[in-house]
Amino acid sequence: MTKNIAIFASGSGSNAENIIRYFKENESVKVKLVVSNRSDAFVLERAKLLGVPGVVCPKSMWVSGEEIEKLLKEYKVDLIVLAGFLLRIPDSLLHVYPNRIINIHPSLLPKYGGKGMYGDRVHEAVVTAREKESGITIHYLNEHFDEGEPIFQATCELTAEDTPEDVARKVHALEYEYYPPIIEKLLQTI
């Protein structure tokens, strides 16, 4: 039986594109749609070029989550994958999709997580703290930012000379390598 994914993204969408390409020829897993809260998010263009429907759901739709839930049911979504999505997921969706909403965070949680900690902000904090390593955390979503149960972590070594841009490059490489296969593995349990 085919498992269907919805990707939620707010920005450029390089992780979303990587996931779509990974599953493009997979008969048992389909990326059914990309959902963004921003009409100008480049992820929508990436999705369109790869033949995946893109839907804009403005911030107002995320308050109750009812319209989002209806959309996901229409596309028969089994797993929601966050890839740079910057809005809080409504509790109602968390209850409809328990342990079926995952996120990737660009640090080794619980370090450098929480509200407002995303993207370059995380990498800058890592460099400022002179960390010897960074990495990614793939985790389930719960009611609190970046506090859901961890699924997987991968690390990369850092040097004293690394800039936030260097850290970002190393972390992105981990995201691209590990996120799609972890998604695939999770789908086998759903």
Side-chain angles (χ1 to χ4, degrees), residues 10-48:
S10 297
S12 165
S14 62
N15 259 319
E17 179 176 342
N18 186 50
I19 294 164
I20 293 167
R21 287 186 185 282
Y22 183 88
F23 290 110
K24 196 74 171 157
E25 303 302 322
N26 189 315
E27 292 300 319
S28 59
V29 178
K30 296 293 176 211
V31 178
K32 292 297 274 193
L33 84 153
V34 170
V35 176
S36 183
N37 58 306
R38 295 181 40 218
S39 61
D40 63 343
F42 190 67
V43 69
L44 297 168
E45 187 62 30
R46 290 181 194 261
K48 181 179 175 183

PDB file of all heavy atoms in Angstrom, residues 10-48:
ATOM      1  N   SER A  10       8.520  26.706   4.693  1.00  0.00           N
ATOM      2  CA  SER A  10       8.273  28.149   4.650  1.00  0.00           C
ATOM      3  C   SER A  10       9.238  28.917   3.764  1.00  0.00           C
ATOM      4  O   SER A  10       9.027  30.096   3.520  1.00  0.00           O
ATOM      5  CB  SER A  10       8.371  28.743   6.066  1.00  0.00           C
ATOM      6  OG  SER A  10       7.386  28.215   6.908  1.00  0.00           O
ATOM      7  N   GLY A  11      10.301  28.280   3.301  1.00  0.00           N
ATOM      8  CA  GLY A  11      11.344  29.051   2.623  1.00  0.00           C
ATOM      9  C   GLY A  11      11.763  28.505   1.279  1.00  0.00           C
ATOM     10  O   GLY A  11      10.952  28.134   0.436  1.00  0.00           O
ATOM     11  N   SER A  12      13.066  28.406   1.104  1.00  0.00           N
ATOM     12  CA  SER A  12      13.669  28.028  -0.170  1.00  0.00           C
ATOM     13  C   SER A  12      13.296  26.617  -0.604  1.00  0.00           C
ATOM     14  O   SER A  12      13.051  26.366  -1.777  1.00  0.00           O
ATOM     15  CB  SER A  12      15.197  28.154  -0.057  1.00  0.00           C
ATOM     16  OG  SER A  12      15.820  27.488  -1.116  1.00  0.00           O
ATOM     17  N   GLY A  13      13.302  25.689   0.324  1.00  0.00           N
ATOM     18  CA  GLY A  13      12.843  24.347   0.023  1.00  0.00           C
ATOM     19  C   GLY A  13      13.876  23.369  -0.496  1.00  0.00           C
ATOM     20  O   GLY A  13      13.519  22.385  -1.137  1.00  0.00           O
ATOM     21  N   SER A  14      15.148  23.576  -0.194  1.00  0.00           N
ATOM     22  CA  SER A  14      16.155  22.628  -0.687  1.00  0.00           C
ATOM     23  C   SER A  14      15.973  21.249  -0.045  1.00  0.00           C
ATOM     24  O   SER A  14      16.142  20.226  -0.705  1.00  0.00           O
ATOM     25  CB  SER A  14      17.575  23.167  -0.477  1.00  0.00           C
ATOM     26  OG  SER A  14      17.837  23.357   0.901  1.00  0.00           O
ATOM     27  N   ASN A  15      15.608  21.209   1.226  1.00  0.00           N
ATOM     28  CA  ASN A  15      15.341  19.916   1.870  1.00  0.00           C
ATOM     29  C   ASN A  15      14.099  19.264   1.275  1.00  0.00           C
ATOM     30  O   ASN A  15      14.077  18.056   1.045  1.00  0.00           O
ATOM     31  CB  ASN A  15      15.156  20.078   3.382  1.00  0.00           C
ATOM     32  CG  ASN A  15      16.390  19.679   4.156  1.00  0.00           C
ATOM     33  OD1 ASN A  15      17.040  18.707   3.845  1.00  0.00           O
ATOM     34  ND2 ASN A  15      16.700  20.452   5.184  1.00  0.00           N
ATOM     35  N   ALA A  16      13.070  20.054   1.017  1.00  0.00           N
ATOM     36  CA  ALA A  16      11.851  19.524   0.401  1.00  0.00           C
ATOM     37  C   ALA A  16      12.175  18.937  -0.970  1.00  0.00           C
ATOM     38  O   ALA A  16      11.726  17.835  -1.310  1.00  0.00           O
ATOM     39  CB  ALA A  16      10.796  20.620   0.285  1.00  0.00           C
ATOM     40  N   GLU A  17      12.957  19.654  -1.756  1.00  0.00           N
ATOM     41  CA  GLU A  17      13.340  19.150  -3.080  1.00  0.00           C
ATOM     42  C   GLU A  17      14.114  17.838  -2.959  1.00  0.00           C
ATOM     43  O   GLU A  17      13.874  16.887  -3.715  1.00  0.00           O
ATOM     44  CB  GLU A  17      14.178  20.174  -3.840  1.00  0.00           C
ATOM     45  CG  GLU A  17      14.607  19.671  -5.199  1.00  0.00           C
ATOM     46  CD  GLU A  17      15.373  20.690  -6.037  1.00  0.00           C
ATOM     47  OE1 GLU A  17      15.312  21.895  -5.758  1.00  0.00           O
ATOM     48  OE2 GLU A  17      16.043  20.236  -6.984  1.00  0.00           O
ATOM     49  N   ASN A  18      15.027  17.767  -2.016  1.00  0.00           N
ATOM     50  CA  ASN A  18      15.806  16.554  -1.801  1.00  0.00           C
ATOM     51  C   ASN A  18      14.887  15.367  -1.470  1.00  0.00           C
ATOM     52  O   ASN A  18      15.069  14.264  -1.980  1.00  0.00           O
ATOM     53  CB  ASN A  18      16.826  16.793  -0.685  1.00  0.00           C
ATOM     54  CG  ASN A  18      17.766  15.625  -0.494  1.00  0.00           C
ATOM     55  OD1 ASN A  18      18.363  15.119  -1.434  1.00  0.00           O
ATOM     56  ND2 ASN A  18      17.896  15.196   0.752  1.00  0.00           N
ATOM     57  N   ILE A  19      13.896  15.605  -0.628  1.00  0.00           N
ATOM     58  CA  ILE A  19      12.950  14.547  -0.240  1.00  0.00           C
ATOM     59  C   ILE A  19      12.105  14.129  -1.441  1.00  0.00           C
ATOM     60  O   ILE A  19      11.911  12.934  -1.697  1.00  0.00           O
ATOM     61  CB  ILE A  19      12.061  15.023   0.931  1.00  0.00           C
ATOM     62  CG1 ILE A  19      12.916  15.225   2.195  1.00  0.00           C
ATOM     63  CG2 ILE A  19      10.921  14.044   1.191  1.00  0.00           C
ATOM     64  CD1 ILE A  19      12.245  16.036   3.277  1.00  0.00           C
ATOM     65  N   ILE A  20      11.597  15.096  -2.200  1.00  0.00           N
ATOM     66  CA  ILE A  20      10.785  14.783  -3.382  1.00  0.00           C
ATOM     67  C   ILE A  20      11.593  13.951  -4.373  1.00  0.00           C
ATOM     68  O   ILE A  20      11.118  12.935  -4.885  1.00  0.00           O
ATOM     69  CB  ILE A  20      10.259  16.080  -4.048  1.00  0.00           C
ATOM     70  CG1 ILE A  20       9.263  16.792  -3.123  1.00  0.00           C
ATOM     71  CG2 ILE A  20       9.613  15.760  -5.398  1.00  0.00           C
ATOM     72  CD1 ILE A  20       8.925  18.217  -3.543  1.00  0.00           C
ATOM     73  N   ARG A  21      12.823  14.366  -4.636  1.00  0.00           N
ATOM     74  CA  ARG A  21      13.667  13.621  -5.583  1.00  0.00           C
ATOM     75  C   ARG A  21      13.963  12.202  -5.072  1.00  0.00           C
ATOM     76  O   ARG A  21      13.985  11.253  -5.841  1.00  0.00           O
ATOM     77  CB  ARG A  21      14.971  14.368  -5.837  1.00  0.00           C
ATOM     78  CG  ARG A  21      14.797  15.609  -6.695  1.00  0.00           C
ATOM     79  CD  ARG A  21      16.137  16.239  -7.054  1.00  0.00           C
ATOM     80  NE  ARG A  21      15.979  17.472  -7.767  1.00  0.00           N
ATOM     81  CZ  ARG A  21      15.663  17.567  -9.069  1.00  0.00           C
ATOM     82  NH1 ARG A  21      15.459  16.470  -9.779  1.00  0.00           N
ATOM     83  NH2 ARG A  21      15.546  18.751  -9.639  1.00  0.00           N
ATOM     84  N   TYR A  22      14.185  12.074  -3.775  1.00  0.00           N
ATOM     85  CA  TYR A  22      14.493  10.767  -3.185  1.00  0.00           C
ATOM     86  C   TYR A  22      13.362   9.766  -3.430  1.00  0.00           C
ATOM     87  O   TYR A  22      13.603   8.594  -3.714  1.00  0.00           O
ATOM     88  CB  TYR A  22      14.748  10.935  -1.681  1.00  0.00           C
ATOM     89  CG  TYR A  22      15.146   9.669  -0.963  1.00  0.00           C
ATOM     90  CD1 TYR A  22      16.474   9.279  -0.881  1.00  0.00           C
ATOM     91  CD2 TYR A  22      14.196   8.862  -0.344  1.00  0.00           C
ATOM     92  CE1 TYR A  22      16.857   8.119  -0.204  1.00  0.00           C
ATOM     93  CE2 TYR A  22      14.560   7.698   0.331  1.00  0.00           C
ATOM     94  CZ  TYR A  22      15.889   7.334   0.400  1.00  0.00           C
ATOM     95  OH  TYR A  22      16.257   6.193   1.068  1.00  0.00           O
ATOM     96  N   PHE A  23      12.112  10.238  -3.308  1.00  0.00           N
ATOM     97  CA  PHE A  23      10.962   9.348  -3.431  1.00  0.00           C
ATOM     98  C   PHE A  23      10.330   9.350  -4.827  1.00  0.00           C
ATOM     99  O   PHE A  23       9.345   8.649  -5.051  1.00  0.00           O
ATOM    100  CB  PHE A  23       9.894   9.707  -2.388  1.00  0.00           C
ATOM    101  CG  PHE A  23      10.307   9.376  -0.983  1.00  0.00           C
ATOM    102  CD1 PHE A  23      10.586  10.382  -0.072  1.00  0.00           C
ATOM    103  CD2 PHE A  23      10.432   8.060  -0.573  1.00  0.00           C
ATOM    104  CE1 PHE A  23      10.973  10.081   1.233  1.00  0.00           C
ATOM    105  CE2 PHE A  23      10.822   7.740   0.721  1.00  0.00           C
ATOM    106  CZ  PHE A  23      11.092   8.751   1.628  1.00  0.00           C
ATOM    107  N   LYS A  24      10.898  10.086  -5.759  1.00  0.00           N
ATOM    108  CA  LYS A  24      10.298  10.261  -7.092  1.00  0.00           C
ATOM    109  C   LYS A  24       9.968   8.931  -7.779  1.00  0.00           C
ATOM    110  O   LYS A  24       8.899   8.785  -8.349  1.00  0.00           O
ATOM    111  CB  LYS A  24      11.246  11.096  -7.974  1.00  0.00           C
ATOM    112  CG  LYS A  24      10.592  11.643  -9.206  1.00  0.00           C
ATOM    113  CD  LYS A  24       9.679  12.781  -8.851  1.00  0.00           C
ATOM    114  CE  LYS A  24       9.182  13.467 -10.101  1.00  0.00           C
ATOM    115  NZ  LYS A  24       7.950  14.184  -9.869  1.00  0.00           N
ATOM    116  N   GLU A  25      10.843   7.975  -7.732  1.00  0.00           N
ATOM    117  CA  GLU A  25      10.639   6.692  -8.421  1.00  0.00           C
ATOM    118  C   GLU A  25      10.162   5.590  -7.479  1.00  0.00           C
ATOM    119  O   GLU A  25      10.072   4.437  -7.870  1.00  0.00           O
ATOM    120  CB  GLU A  25      11.942   6.255  -9.119  1.00  0.00           C
ATOM    121  CG  GLU A  25      12.494   7.265 -10.103  1.00  0.00           C
ATOM    122  CD  GLU A  25      11.518   7.617 -11.222  1.00  0.00           C
ATOM    123  OE1 GLU A  25      10.802   6.706 -11.703  1.00  0.00           O
ATOM    124  OE2 GLU A  25      11.456   8.801 -11.604  1.00  0.00           O
ATOM    125  N   ASN A  26       9.864   5.939  -6.240  1.00  0.00           N
ATOM    126  CA  ASN A  26       9.447   4.954  -5.243  1.00  0.00           C
ATOM    127  C   ASN A  26       7.954   4.658  -5.409  1.00  0.00           C
ATOM    128  O   ASN A  26       7.127   5.565  -5.329  1.00  0.00           O
ATOM    129  CB  ASN A  26       9.745   5.492  -3.844  1.00  0.00           C
ATOM    130  CG  ASN A  26       9.555   4.461  -2.767  1.00  0.00           C
ATOM    131  OD1 ASN A  26       8.581   3.726  -2.744  1.00  0.00           O
ATOM    132  ND2 ASN A  26      10.506   4.422  -1.839  1.00  0.00           N
ATOM    133  N   GLU A  27       7.623   3.413  -5.653  1.00  0.00           N
ATOM    134  CA  GLU A  27       6.226   3.032  -5.882  1.00  0.00           C
ATOM    135  C   GLU A  27       5.406   2.990  -4.592  1.00  0.00           C
ATOM    136  O   GLU A  27       4.179   3.080  -4.641  1.00  0.00           O
ATOM    137  CB  GLU A  27       6.160   1.667  -6.583  1.00  0.00           C
ATOM    138  CG  GLU A  27       6.683   1.702  -8.005  1.00  0.00           C
ATOM    139  CD  GLU A  27       5.911   2.653  -8.904  1.00  0.00           C
ATOM    140  OE1 GLU A  27       4.671   2.716  -8.813  1.00  0.00           O
ATOM    141  OE2 GLU A  27       6.576   3.370  -9.693  1.00  0.00           O
ATOM    142  N   SER A  28       6.065   2.830  -3.449  1.00  0.00           N
ATOM    143  CA  SER A  28       5.317   2.682  -2.201  1.00  0.00           C
ATOM    144  C   SER A  28       5.256   3.961  -1.358  1.00  0.00           C
ATOM    145  O   SER A  28       4.555   3.992  -0.350  1.00  0.00           O
ATOM    146  CB  SER A  28       5.894   1.534  -1.376  1.00  0.00           C
ATOM    147  OG  SER A  28       7.246   1.769  -1.073  1.00  0.00           O
ATOM    148  N   VAL A  29       5.973   5.017  -1.772  1.00  0.00           N
ATOM    149  CA  VAL A  29       5.959   6.287  -1.049  1.00  0.00           C
ATOM    150  C   VAL A  29       5.794   7.417  -2.052  1.00  0.00           C
ATOM    151  O   VAL A  29       6.535   7.490  -3.033  1.00  0.00           O
ATOM    152  CB  VAL A  29       7.263   6.506  -0.245  1.00  0.00           C
ATOM    153  CG1 VAL A  29       7.240   7.847   0.468  1.00  0.00           C
ATOM    154  CG2 VAL A  29       7.499   5.373   0.747  1.00  0.00           C
ATOM    155  N   LYS A  30       4.836   8.309  -1.789  1.00  0.00           N
ATOM    156  CA  LYS A  30       4.603   9.450  -2.676  1.00  0.00           C
ATOM    157  C   LYS A  30       4.545  10.742  -1.870  1.00  0.00           C
ATOM    158  O   LYS A  30       3.877  10.812  -0.836  1.00  0.00           O
ATOM    159  CB  LYS A  30       3.267   9.293  -3.426  1.00  0.00           C
ATOM    160  CG  LYS A  30       3.217   8.110  -4.371  1.00  0.00           C
ATOM    161  CD  LYS A  30       4.158   8.284  -5.534  1.00  0.00           C
ATOM    162  CE  LYS A  30       4.185   7.058  -6.412  1.00  0.00           C
ATOM    163  NZ  LYS A  30       5.445   6.833  -7.066  1.00  0.00           N
ATOM    164  N   VAL A  31       5.244  11.759  -2.355  1.00  0.00           N
ATOM    165  CA  VAL A  31       5.077  13.098  -1.799  1.00  0.00           C
ATOM    166  C   VAL A  31       3.854  13.664  -2.513  1.00  0.00           C
ATOM    167  O   VAL A  31       3.904  13.951  -3.713  1.00  0.00           O
ATOM    168  CB  VAL A  31       6.321  13.977  -2.014  1.00  0.00           C
ATOM    169  CG1 VAL A  31       6.067  15.379  -1.464  1.00  0.00           C
ATOM    170  CG2 VAL A  31       7.550  13.354  -1.350  1.00  0.00           C
ATOM    171  N   LYS A  32       2.753  13.782  -1.774  1.00  0.00           N
ATOM    172  CA  LYS A  32       1.477  14.163  -2.374  1.00  0.00           C
ATOM    173  C   LYS A  32       1.288  15.669  -2.500  1.00  0.00           C
ATOM    174  O   LYS A  32       0.593  16.119  -3.393  1.00  0.00           O
ATOM    175  CB  LYS A  32       0.312  13.582  -1.568  1.00  0.00           C
ATOM    176  CG  LYS A  32       0.223  12.076  -1.643  1.00  0.00           C
ATOM    177  CD  LYS A  32      -0.044  11.586  -3.039  1.00  0.00           C
ATOM    178  CE  LYS A  32      -1.523  11.579  -3.311  1.00  0.00           C
ATOM    179  NZ  LYS A  32      -1.889  10.853  -4.516  1.00  0.00           N
ATOM    180  N   LEU A  33       1.878  16.431  -1.563  1.00  0.00           N
ATOM    181  CA  LEU A  33       1.767  17.872  -1.666  1.00  0.00           C
ATOM    182  C   LEU A  33       2.783  18.563  -0.781  1.00  0.00           C
ATOM    183  O   LEU A  33       3.327  17.972   0.153  1.00  0.00           O
ATOM    184  CB  LEU A  33       0.357  18.352  -1.332  1.00  0.00           C
ATOM    185  CG  LEU A  33      -0.056  18.570   0.108  1.00  0.00           C
ATOM    186  CD1 LEU A  33      -1.165  19.624   0.129  1.00  0.00           C
ATOM    187  CD2 LEU A  33      -0.605  17.305   0.715  1.00  0.00           C
ATOM    188  N   VAL A  34       3.020  19.830  -1.137  1.00  0.00           N
ATOM    189  CA  VAL A  34       3.866  20.719  -0.344  1.00  0.00           C
ATOM    190  C   VAL A  34       2.963  21.843   0.142  1.00  0.00           C
ATOM    191  O   VAL A  34       2.225  22.447  -0.646  1.00  0.00           O
ATOM    192  CB  VAL A  34       5.039  21.280  -1.182  1.00  0.00           C
ATOM    193  CG1 VAL A  34       5.767  22.380  -0.427  1.00  0.00           C
ATOM    194  CG2 VAL A  34       5.999  20.154  -1.557  1.00  0.00           C
ATOM    195  N   VAL A  35       3.012  22.098   1.439  1.00  0.00           N
ATOM    196  CA  VAL A  35       2.192  23.137   2.050  1.00  0.00           C
ATOM    197  C   VAL A  35       3.127  24.216   2.580  1.00  0.00           C
ATOM    198  O   VAL A  35       4.103  23.922   3.269  1.00  0.00           O
ATOM    199  CB  VAL A  35       1.341  22.570   3.210  1.00  0.00           C
ATOM    200  CG1 VAL A  35       0.560  23.681   3.904  1.00  0.00           C
ATOM    201  CG2 VAL A  35       0.413  21.465   2.712  1.00  0.00           C
ATOM    202  N   SER A  36       2.813  25.471   2.238  1.00  0.00           N
ATOM    203  CA  SER A  36       3.598  26.589   2.753  1.00  0.00           C
ATOM    204  C   SER A  36       2.666  27.637   3.335  1.00  0.00           C
ATOM    205  O   SER A  36       1.531  27.802   2.879  1.00  0.00           O
ATOM    206  CB  SER A  36       4.455  27.221   1.649  1.00  0.00           C
ATOM    207  OG  SER A  36       5.260  28.251   2.211  1.00  0.00           O
ATOM    208  N   ASN A  37       3.151  28.346   4.316  1.00  0.00           N
ATOM    209  CA  ASN A  37       2.404  29.456   4.890  1.00  0.00           C
ATOM    210  C   ASN A  37       2.711  30.767   4.162  1.00  0.00           C
ATOM    211  O   ASN A  37       2.091  31.781   4.441  1.00  0.00           O
ATOM    212  CB  ASN A  37       2.729  29.601   6.381  1.00  0.00           C
ATOM    213  CG  ASN A  37       4.208  29.826   6.644  1.00  0.00           C
ATOM    214  OD1 ASN A  37       5.047  29.039   6.193  1.00  0.00           O
ATOM    215  ND2 ASN A  37       4.540  30.878   7.358  1.00  0.00           N
ATOM    216  N   ARG A  38       3.645  30.720   3.209  1.00  0.00           N
ATOM    217  CA  ARG A  38       4.056  31.934   2.484  1.00  0.00           C
ATOM    218  C   ARG A  38       3.885  31.740   0.977  1.00  0.00           C
ATOM    219  O   ARG A  38       4.442  30.801   0.401  1.00  0.00           O
ATOM    220  CB  ARG A  38       5.515  32.247   2.785  1.00  0.00           C
ATOM    221  CG  ARG A  38       5.770  32.606   4.242  1.00  0.00           C
ATOM    222  CD  ARG A  38       7.225  32.938   4.530  1.00  0.00           C
ATOM    223  NE  ARG A  38       7.824  33.716   3.480  1.00  0.00           N
ATOM    224  CZ  ARG A  38       9.072  33.561   3.050  1.00  0.00           C
ATOM    225  NH1 ARG A  38       9.850  32.635   3.582  1.00  0.00           N
ATOM    226  NH2 ARG A  38       9.555  34.309   2.093  1.00  0.00           N
ATOM    227  N   SER A  39       3.157  32.649   0.353  1.00  0.00           N
ATOM    228  CA  SER A  39       2.921  32.557  -1.093  1.00  0.00           C
ATOM    229  C   SER A  39       4.191  32.807  -1.899  1.00  0.00           C
ATOM    230  O   SER A  39       4.285  32.384  -3.049  1.00  0.00           O
ATOM    231  CB  SER A  39       1.821  33.539  -1.519  1.00  0.00           C
ATOM    232  OG  SER A  39       2.211  34.861  -1.222  1.00  0.00           O
ATOM    233  N   ASP A  40       5.178  33.483  -1.302  1.00  0.00           N
ATOM    234  CA  ASP A  40       6.423  33.781  -2.013  1.00  0.00           C
ATOM    235  C   ASP A  40       7.547  32.784  -1.703  1.00  0.00           C
ATOM    236  O   ASP A  40       8.689  32.980  -2.100  1.00  0.00           O
ATOM    237  CB  ASP A  40       6.896  35.208  -1.705  1.00  0.00           C
ATOM    238  CG  ASP A  40       7.240  35.414  -0.233  1.00  0.00           C
ATOM    239  OD1 ASP A  40       6.822  34.591   0.622  1.00  0.00           O
ATOM    240  OD2 ASP A  40       7.924  36.408   0.070  1.00  0.00           O
ATOM    241  N   ALA A  41       7.213  31.703  -1.007  1.00  0.00           N
ATOM    242  CA  ALA A  41       8.236  30.706  -0.653  1.00  0.00           C
ATOM    243  C   ALA A  41       8.694  29.981  -1.919  1.00  0.00           C
ATOM    244  O   ALA A  41       7.877  29.461  -2.676  1.00  0.00           O
ATOM    245  CB  ALA A  41       7.681  29.721   0.362  1.00  0.00           C
ATOM    246  N   PHE A  42       9.993  29.914  -2.136  1.00  0.00           N
ATOM    247  CA  PHE A  42      10.539  29.292  -3.342  1.00  0.00           C
ATOM    248  C   PHE A  42      10.273  27.785  -3.371  1.00  0.00           C
ATOM    249  O   PHE A  42      10.275  27.168  -4.440  1.00  0.00           O
ATOM    250  CB  PHE A  42      12.043  29.590  -3.478  1.00  0.00           C
ATOM    251  CG  PHE A  42      12.595  29.190  -4.817  1.00  0.00           C
ATOM    252  CD1 PHE A  42      12.205  29.847  -5.979  1.00  0.00           C
ATOM    253  CD2 PHE A  42      13.485  28.142  -4.916  1.00  0.00           C
ATOM    254  CE1 PHE A  42      12.702  29.471  -7.220  1.00  0.00           C
ATOM    255  CE2 PHE A  42      13.994  27.748  -6.156  1.00  0.00           C
ATOM    256  CZ  PHE A  42      13.599  28.418  -7.304  1.00  0.00           C
ATOM    257  N   VAL A  43       9.983  27.208  -2.209  1.00  0.00           N
ATOM    258  CA  VAL A  43       9.655  25.780  -2.160  1.00  0.00           C
ATOM    259  C   VAL A  43       8.478  25.460  -3.079  1.00  0.00           C
ATOM    260  O   VAL A  43       8.417  24.382  -3.669  1.00  0.00           O
ATOM    261  CB  VAL A  43       9.374  25.308  -0.714  1.00  0.00           C
ATOM    262  CG1 VAL A  43       8.064  25.900  -0.171  1.00  0.00           C
ATOM    263  CG2 VAL A  43       9.350  23.793  -0.639  1.00  0.00           C
ATOM    264  N   LEU A  44       7.555  26.390  -3.244  1.00  0.00           N
ATOM    265  CA  LEU A  44       6.396  26.163  -4.108  1.00  0.00           C
ATOM    266  C   LEU A  44       6.810  26.019  -5.563  1.00  0.00           C
ATOM    267  O   LEU A  44       6.265  25.195  -6.297  1.00  0.00           O
ATOM    268  CB  LEU A  44       5.375  27.290  -3.938  1.00  0.00           C
ATOM    269  CG  LEU A  44       4.771  27.410  -2.531  1.00  0.00           C
ATOM    270  CD1 LEU A  44       4.001  28.706  -2.386  1.00  0.00           C
ATOM    271  CD2 LEU A  44       3.898  26.192  -2.215  1.00  0.00           C
ATOM    272  N   GLU A  45       7.800  26.801  -5.979  1.00  0.00           N
ATOM    273  CA  GLU A  45       8.331  26.699  -7.345  1.00  0.00           C
ATOM    274  C   GLU A  45       9.063  25.367  -7.532  1.00  0.00           C
ATOM    275  O   GLU A  45       8.914  24.702  -8.556  1.00  0.00           O
ATOM    276  CB  GLU A  45       9.269  27.877  -7.636  1.00  0.00           C
ATOM    277  CG  GLU A  45       9.742  27.960  -9.068  1.00  0.00           C
ATOM    278  CD  GLU A  45       8.626  28.171 -10.078  1.00  0.00           C
ATOM    279  OE1 GLU A  45       7.602  28.796  -9.745  1.00  0.00           O
ATOM    280  OE2 GLU A  45       8.782  27.695 -11.214  1.00  0.00           O
ATOM    281  N   ARG A  46       9.852  24.991  -6.549  1.00  0.00           N
ATOM    282  CA  ARG A  46      10.560  23.704  -6.617  1.00  0.00           C
ATOM    283  C   ARG A  46       9.553  22.555  -6.761  1.00  0.00           C
ATOM    284  O   ARG A  46       9.743  21.648  -7.568  1.00  0.00           O
ATOM    285  CB  ARG A  46      11.403  23.481  -5.368  1.00  0.00           C
ATOM    286  CG  ARG A  46      12.623  24.377  -5.250  1.00  0.00           C
ATOM    287  CD  ARG A  46      13.367  24.017  -3.955  1.00  0.00           C
ATOM    288  NE  ARG A  46      14.339  24.986  -3.567  1.00  0.00           N
ATOM    289  CZ  ARG A  46      15.657  24.873  -3.806  1.00  0.00           C
ATOM    290  NH1 ARG A  46      16.122  23.838  -4.466  1.00  0.00           N
ATOM    291  NH2 ARG A  46      16.495  25.798  -3.382  1.00  0.00           N
ATOM    292  N   ALA A  47       8.502  22.589  -5.939  1.00  0.00           N
ATOM    293  CA  ALA A  47       7.489  21.532  -5.977  1.00  0.00           C
ATOM    294  C   ALA A  47       6.825  21.476  -7.355  1.00  0.00           C
ATOM    295  O   ALA A  47       6.677  20.395  -7.938  1.00  0.00           O
ATOM    296  CB  ALA A  47       6.447  21.767  -4.886  1.00  0.00           C
ATOM    297  N   LYS A  48       6.475  22.640  -7.878  1.00  0.00           N
ATOM    298  CA  LYS A  48       5.822  22.704  -9.185  1.00  0.00           C
ATOM    299  C   LYS A  48       6.705  22.101 -10.277  1.00  0.00           C
ATOM    300  O   LYS A  48       6.245  21.303 -11.099  1.00  0.00           O
ATOM    301  CB  LYS A  48       5.497  24.165  -9.520  1.00  0.00           C
ATOM    302  CG  LYS A  48       4.799  24.372 -10.829  1.00  0.00           C
ATOM    303  CD  LYS A  48       4.518  25.857 -11.040  1.00  0.00           C
ATOM    304  CE  LYS A  48       3.928  26.110 -12.411  1.00  0.00           C
ATOM    305  NZ  LYS A  48       3.734  27.555 -12.639  1.00  0.00           N
TER     306      LYS A  48
END
